[in-house]
Amino acid sequence: MKILVDADACPVKEEVYKVAWRHGVPVTIVSNSPIRVPAHPLVDRVVVSDGFDAADDWIAERADAASICVTADILLADRCLKAGAVVIAPNGKPFTASSIGAAVATRAIMADLRAGAMGDPVGGPAPFAKTDRSRFLSALDEALVRLKRGR
């Protein structure tokens, strides 16, 4: 088992470490620029090039049925799900095979709306809240327990 984190804008890295250490599961923090990570044998940092989707490509290539991927990137979530990984957004909401299609479609619609394709531009997602952090902790812990049991 392993946890792969799309880390550049991830607000729950500290939570990932705490849950991973409790379960004894290795974590790989993947980013386009150096990010400070704890000096711990279960934590590894990978800095990829600043090329478009370089971090996403690195994660997607290593995602498998023994992985939990933490990302807010819907297209990366789709790629990881197709590889058999469990995928959790930083707000604690899981991406699943049954929900990813709607998420991809909504992403496309929202991109058009934010660009002003239909009148006034719209804002982005709601700000990250304490309830999101709590939901994430619970979702990550549950996902690790399920993986340990063989899903």
Side-chain angles (χ1 to χ4, degrees):
M1 285 192 327
K2 63 187 176 259
I3 301 172
L4 302 170
V5 181
D6 183 11
D8 282 317
C10 180
V12 291
K13 289 185 285 293
E14 293 300 321
E15 289 77 7
V16 169
Y17 304 142
K18 289 176 187 172
V19 174
W21 294 339
R22 189 169 63 243
H23 287 275
V25 175
V27 176
T28 303
I29 300 296
V30 184
S31 63
N32 295 106
S33 59
I35 291 178
R36 182 174 290 205
V37 299
H40 192 282
L42 288 175
V43 178
D44 187 29
R45 177 181 65 186
V46 173
V47 179
V48 297
S49 74
D50 61 355
F52 185 72
D53 281 346
D56 294 359
D57 291 342
W58 194 96
I59 292 168
E61 288 167 6
R62 287 156 183 84
D64 59 24
S67 305
I68 296 176
C69 299
V70 178
T71 185
D73 184 319
I74 293 168
L75 298 180
L76 174 57
D78 185 39
R79 292 170 69 187
C80 292
L81 284 169
K82 288 176 180 167
V86 172
V87 185
I88 304 171
N91 64 7
K93 294 183 180 172
F95 289 103
T96 64
S98 60
S99 71
I100 196 67
V104 170
T106 301
R107 177 190 177 276
I109 291 167
M110 293 306 293
D112 287 344
L113 290 174
R114 279 192 288 276
M118 305 186 101
D120 294 331
V122 230
F128 194 74
K130 285 182 182 180
T131 55
D132 295 325
R133 193 172 308 280
S134 175
R135 188 181 319 116
F136 175 79
L137 280 165
S138 178
L140 181 58
D141 193 68
E142 289 172 19
L144 283 168
V145 168
R146 275 195 320 273
L147 270 182
K148 283 182 177 179
R149 290 182 184 156
R151 289 197 186 221

